[in-house]
């Protein structure tokens, strides 16, 4: 998969004794030769529109009938939004959204489709069928919340998006089980059951336990509390990376298993019928085979037909002969099985490491080297083939330039009380599980996805954005398409784009973001329930629309100044915003600037002695500190 780590396969253990009669085991395929699911299709290509999702038992039959309808209405093999809307019996705007989403996750640009929004845009019928097929995929879902959540809320003030993957134990229960006095180290269970943003509460509870321990001198209590802090940080740094790698492997295994289960139906759906009997009656051309690149890939730049033995070395001047679908299925099944086997071995190895780490002490030096801040691209497992991770930062600022980005995608995960600057051209960006943070995304040419965030400010210049399950967030947007809002959202606000950095317009031009079109205030709202999860929902809930976003009060709108990270390069923070401000927001900005100029002029004209000047400066500094504290 494009976002999997470049780990080498584990070396074969040397045999303890010679066994000449046993033939040597076949070499484990390298990661580059393994078939990988395309994460873009599964992460950004699923829409919670019920009429796009067919029951699994009748999926192949329903899509075969739909193929006949679409082929009859589109003899050239191209499906416009109107034909898709008629065939699926959905509103035209939903059909246009489906084509736009398909365009955003295709592995290569389709000139006839464009971004799915222009008049006359039409998608290849084979891509449409594959897109509709994977709408049946069920994502891995978090575990359920604690059964006695009100009882936990008094000591556990807020929930974390990261908690969904962790145990449902309350902090009190966890500490009672794994912490017994200041001389013991917290076990791995603390980290497994608690989210990263709970660290202040962990330490508060542990310090209360330490201070109440009888017979401890005050100095001993301080030493004990320091031991607790060091132990918690050791476990966090050493374990979090392993846990997250396991979760990513689980996601990949889930996608591979889905493809393994459905590949026969997918090939039958794409195949052409010819004269013959049995398996020879269905064939795939090389062109149709290449469309499977929507779902799987070997590595960047390697086409499926180059990797497949039956199409390899075909004469480019001569059309390759069609191949029986059964032969293609055998080849795909073998490659998927190899990938599953390799991924399962890696998962077992990481689980073994996790178990070992739970039984051993981790030195502070080892813990520090495993933290993303101190890792190099060659050593950090967070550096993946086609995606860069900004992960687990708290109370800090992080800046990433184009030279720091690995591939064309970025994921900002579980960052809290921080400011994250991503000043680079990208295709995809994901912000997940962040709280009380500001994230600046320079230019994203495909999709931005923001999920499970609380009290986060997102500043993004992008073609598309999808917002799901967020609370009390503000989105400062420059987007060419309507923001997609879905899931369980509360108190969301949208506002015009409000920042700039020197290379922004160049980055926007590189990825195709048009600054003259900004649909920040036109959210497209879908349902509260996501049919792609495997949870059961009460009857009727699937018809409930998500809570939409409101426009930010113009009086509260301010420009966001990005510090100069570029040496002598200078920018004009109030005049270089590439997206024109709406008139009402521009009027309030002018009003604020005029008020500021009046205050500056009045201060300059004051006739004050040195003592009064110092008093004035002290008062201004105090007011500024109060304002800065309130902004946090």
């Amino acid at each position: 998969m494009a976002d999997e780590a470049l780990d080498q396969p584990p070396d074969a253990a040397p045999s303890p004794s010679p066994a000449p009669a046993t033939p040597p085991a076949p070499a484990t395929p390298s990661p580059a030769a393994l078939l990988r699911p395309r994460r873009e299709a599964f992460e950004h290509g699923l829409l919670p529109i019920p009429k796009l999702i067919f029951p699994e038992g009748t999926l192949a039959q329903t899509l075969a009938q739909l193929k006949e309808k679409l082929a009859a209405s589109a003899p050239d093999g191209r499906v416009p939004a109107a034909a898709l809307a008629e065939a699926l019996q959905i509103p035209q705007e939903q059909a246009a959204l489906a084509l736009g989403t398909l365009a955003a996750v295709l592995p290569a640009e389709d000139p006839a489709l464009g971004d799915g929004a222009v008049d006359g845009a039409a998608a290849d019928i084979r891509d449409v069928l594959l897109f509709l097929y994977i709408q049946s995929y069920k994502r891995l879902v978090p575990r359920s919340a604690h059964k006695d959540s009100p009882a936990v809320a008094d000591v556990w003030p807020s929930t974390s998006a990261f908690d969904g993957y962790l145990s449902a134990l309350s902090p009190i229960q966890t500490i009672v089980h794994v912490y017994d006095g200041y001389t013991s180290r917290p076990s791995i269970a603390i980290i497994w059951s608690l989210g990263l943003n709970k660290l202040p509460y962990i330490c508060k509870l542990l310090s209360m336990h330490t201070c109440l321990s009888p017979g401890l001198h005050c100095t001993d209590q301080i030493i004990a509390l320091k031991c607790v802090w060091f132990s918690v940080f050791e476990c966090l740094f050493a374990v979090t990376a392993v846990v997250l790698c396991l979760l990513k492997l689980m996601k990949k295994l889930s996608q591979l298993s889905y493809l393994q289960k459905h590949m026969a139906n997918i090939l039958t759906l794409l195949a052409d019928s010819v004269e013959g009997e049995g398996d020879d009656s269905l064939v795939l051309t090389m062109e149709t085979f290449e469309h499977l690149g929507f779902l799987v890939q070997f590595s960047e730049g390697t086409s499926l037909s180059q990797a497949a033995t039956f199409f390899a070395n075909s004469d480019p001047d001569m059309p390759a002969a069609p191949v029986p679908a059964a032969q293609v299925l055998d080849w795909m099944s073998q490659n998927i099985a190899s990938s599953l086997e390799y991924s399962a071995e890696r998962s077992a190895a990481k689980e073994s490491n996790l178990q070992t780490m739970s039984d051993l002490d981790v030195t502070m030096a080892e813990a520090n080297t495993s933290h993303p801040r101190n890792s190099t691209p060659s050593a950090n497992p967070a550096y993946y083939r086609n995606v860069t991770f900004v992960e687990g930062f708290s109370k800090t600022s992080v800046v990433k330039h184009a030279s720091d980005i690995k591939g064309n995608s970025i994921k900002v995960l579980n960052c809290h009380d921080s400011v994250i600057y991503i000043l680079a051209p990208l295709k995809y960006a994901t912000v997940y599980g962040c709280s009380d943070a500001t994230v600046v995304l320079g230019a994203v040419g495909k999709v931005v996805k923001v999920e499970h965030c609380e009290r986060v400010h997102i500043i993004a210049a992008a073609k598309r954005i999808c917002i799901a399950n967020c609370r009390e967030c503000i989105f400062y947007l420059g987007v060419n398409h309507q923001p997609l809002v879905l899931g369980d959202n509360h108190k969301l606000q949208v506002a015009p784009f409000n920042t700039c950095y020197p290379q922004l317009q160049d980055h926007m031009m590189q990825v195709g973001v048009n600054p003259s079109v900004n649909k920040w205030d036109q959210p497209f709202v879908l349902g509260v329930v996501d049919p792609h999860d495997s949870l059961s929902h009460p009857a009727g809930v699937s018809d409930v629309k998500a809570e939409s976003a409101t426009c930010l009060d113009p009086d509260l709108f301010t420009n966001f100044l990005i510090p100069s990270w570029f040496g002598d390069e200078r920018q004009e923070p109030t005049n270089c915003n590439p997206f024109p401000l709406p008139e009402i927001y521009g009027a309030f900005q002018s009003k604020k600037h005029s008020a500021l100029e009046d205050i500056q002029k009045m201060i300059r004209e004051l006739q004050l002695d040195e003592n009064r000047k110092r008093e004035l400066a002290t008062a201004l500094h105090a007011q500024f500190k109060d304002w800065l504290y309130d902004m946090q």
Side-chain angles (χ1 to χ4, degrees):
M1 185 169 63
D3 60 344
E4 280 305 312
L6 294 176
D7 297 341
Q8 296 299 319
D11 295 333
S15 176
S17 60
T22 305
T28 305
S30 66
L34 292 172
L35 197 68
R36 307 166 188 271
R38 278 192 71 246
R39 57 182 177 77
E40 293 88 355
F42 291 96
E43 293 181 5
H44 300 284
L46 303 182
L47 290 174
I49 299 176
K51 287 193 175 182
L52 298 187
I53 305 167
F54 306 111
E56 188 167 319
T58 61
L59 178 60
Q61 180 182 357
T62 304
L63 285 177
Q65 295 171 355
L66 182 66
K67 177 182 178 181
E68 294 179 0
K69 285 185 182 179
L70 293 175
S73 62
D76 61 347
R78 286 282 168 178
V79 181
L84 186 62
E86 182 179 354
L88 294 174
Q89 295 298 297
I90 59 176
Q92 176 121 359
E93 57 268 22
Q94 289 188 1
L97 173 64
L99 290 187
T101 304
L102 170 61
V105 296
L106 283 175
E109 297 292 336
D110 183 349
L113 178 60
D115 62 1
V118 297
D119 292 337
D124 190 290
I125 189 172
R126 292 164 290 194
D127 292 331
V128 172
L129 292 172
L130 291 173
F131 174 77
L132 293 175
Y133 201 105
I134 64 168
Q135 300 303 313
S136 65
Y137 175 73
K138 300 289 186 183
R139 294 191 186 99
L140 291 175
V141 297
R143 297 179 183 177
S144 59
H146 193 272
K147 292 180 180 179
D148 190 19
S149 54
V152 176
D154 58 342
V155 292
W156 216 242
S158 64
T159 58
S160 164
F162 194 71
D163 298 338
Y165 293 105
L166 309 176
S167 169
L169 285 177
S170 73
I172 297 294
Q173 290 171 316
T174 303
I175 292 169
V176 166
H177 283 289
V178 302
Y179 186 78
D180 182 20
Y182 75 98
T183 57
S184 301
R185 285 174 175 267
S187 79
I188 192 66
I190 286 184
I191 310 306
W192 186 252
S193 60
L194 305 177
L196 292 178
N197 66 336
K198 300 299 187 299
L199 186 57
Y201 303 107
I202 299 171
C203 297
K204 179 179 179 181
L205 290 166
L206 292 177
S207 64
M208 288 169 57
H209 180 83
T210 302
C211 293
L212 293 175
S213 298
L216 284 181
H217 188 270
C218 180
T219 304
D220 294 331
Q221 292 184 16
I222 294 174
I223 294 173
L225 182 57
K226 288 183 178 179
C227 290
V228 170
W229 270 93
F230 277 121
S231 297
V232 171
F233 274 112
E234 287 171 13
C235 291
L236 278 173
F237 291 166
V239 176
T240 301
V242 178
V243 172
L244 292 176
C245 283
L246 276 172
L247 297 177
K248 292 161 191 169
L249 276 173
M250 288 169 59
K251 182 186 293 186
K252 177 185 176 182
L253 286 169
S254 171
Q255 294 167 0
L256 278 172
S257 298
Y258 173 85
L259 292 173
Q260 184 182 48
K261 178 180 178 181
H262 292 277
M263 187 53 65
N265 288 337
I266 290 172
L267 294 179
T268 301
L269 189 64
L270 295 182
D272 298 321
S273 298
V274 295
E275 292 183 1
E277 296 182 359
D279 294 340
D280 294 334
S281 63
L282 294 176
V283 298
L284 275 83
T285 64
M286 187 169 71
E287 182 184 1
T288 298
F289 180 73
E290 283 286 3
H291 282 268
L292 290 172
F294 176 76
L295 299 177
V296 292
Q297 62 184 9
F298 277 95
S299 62
E300 289 300 308
T302 302
S303 68
L304 289 178
S305 59
Q306 290 174 333
T309 54
F310 39 79
F311 284 129
N313 303 318
S314 297
D315 187 344
D317 298 326
M318 293 287 292
V323 176
Q327 183 179 352
V328 177
L329 177 60
D330 290 342
W331 184 83
M332 294 291 292
S333 299
Q334 290 173 8
N335 280 279
I336 292 175
S338 297
S339 297
L340 280 169
E341 181 180 357
Y342 174 72
S343 298
E345 289 175 357
R346 287 182 56 202
S347 178
K350 291 183 183 295
E351 287 178 3
S352 176
N353 289 340
L354 187 62
Q355 181 62 38
T356 302
M357 291 169 67
S358 69
D359 299 328
L360 298 176
D361 288 341
V362 181
T363 66
M364 202 60 186
E366 290 169 340
N368 280 336
T369 57
S370 69
H371 194 263
R373 299 167 198 258
N374 304 316
S375 302
T376 61
S378 60
N380 186 359
Y383 282 82
Y384 286 73
R385 172 172 279 107
N386 201 30
V387 63
T388 299
F389 286 86
V390 176
E391 195 163 0
F393 287 95
S394 180
K395 296 185 182 298
T396 189
S397 295
V398 181
V399 61
K400 295 287 184 182
H401 303 300
S403 58
D404 303 317
I405 301 298
K406 187 76 171 180
N408 53 28
S409 300
I410 197 160
K411 292 190 176 184
V412 181
L413 308 176
N414 303 301
C415 293
H416 311 284
D417 293 306
S418 299
V419 183
I420 312 296
Y421 302 91
I422 310 299
L423 311 182
L426 299 160
K427 285 187 178 179
Y428 301 94
T430 298
V431 182
Y432 184 95
C434 298
S435 65
D436 302 291
T438 297
V439 181
V440 181
L441 299 171
V444 183
K446 294 290 188 178
V447 187
V448 174
K449 191 167 190 178
V450 184
E451 287 188 281
H452 296 289
C453 291
E454 298 179 3
R455 300 175 301 280
V456 170
H457 290 190
I458 302 291
I459 303 172
K463 276 195 175 181
R464 298 179 181 274
I465 186 169
C466 175
I467 303 165
N469 303 304
C470 293
R471 296 170 179 264
E472 300 177 35
C473 297
I474 303 178
F475 298 85
Y476 296 90
L477 302 177
V479 288
N480 296 161
H481 300 277
Q482 294 175 266
L484 182 61
V485 179
L486 51 96
D488 187 15
N489 300 292
H490 296 283
K491 298 181 180 179
L492 302 184
Q493 296 182 82
V494 291
F497 192 72
N498 67 337
T499 194
C500 187
Y501 59 93
Q503 291 82 12
L504 177 58
Q505 296 200 34
D506 290 339
H507 290 171
M508 290 171 58
M509 189 177 300
Q510 288 179 41
V511 298
V513 177
N514 183 0
S516 64
V517 178
N518 191 359
K519 299 187 177 182
W520 65 274
D521 57 345
Q522 303 173 38
F524 192 106
V525 182
L526 292 178
V528 169
V529 171
D530 187 352
H532 298 106
D533 65 41
S534 52
L535 299 174
S536 59
H537 303 283
V541 175
S542 59
D543 298 327
V544 178
K545 276 196 171 185
E547 180 181 312
S548 187
T550 60
C551 293
L552 182 71
D553 187 335
D555 195 35
L556 301 178
F557 178 83
T558 57
N559 285 311
F560 183 85
L561 178 62
I562 297 177
S564 176
W565 305 100
F566 304 97
D568 295 333
E569 290 182 332
R570 298 181 180 276
Q571 59 177 321
E572 299 177 12
T574 58
N575 298 322
C576 66
N577 186 339
F579 294 92
L581 279 180
E583 185 176 349
I584 186 170
Y585 286 89
F588 273 88
Q589 285 290 89
S590 299
K591 181 180 177 181
K592 289 179 181 179
H593 294 156
S594 298
L596 177 61
E597 291 174 355
D598 291 343
I599 293 173
Q600 290 175 333
K601 180 180 178 181
M602 182 178 64
I603 292 175
R604 284 194 299 266
E605 293 175 353
L606 288 175
Q607 302 296 323
L608 300 175
D609 56 31
E610 291 301 319
N611 289 335
R612 296 302 298 275
K613 286 182 180 180
R614 281 194 294 269
E615 291 177 2
L616 178 60
T618 301
L620 289 173
H621 289 162
Q623 292 294 323
F624 175 76
K625 289 180 179 178
D626 290 343
W627 171 82
L628 194 60
Y629 180 81
D630 291 338
M631 291 295 290
Q632 296 174 346

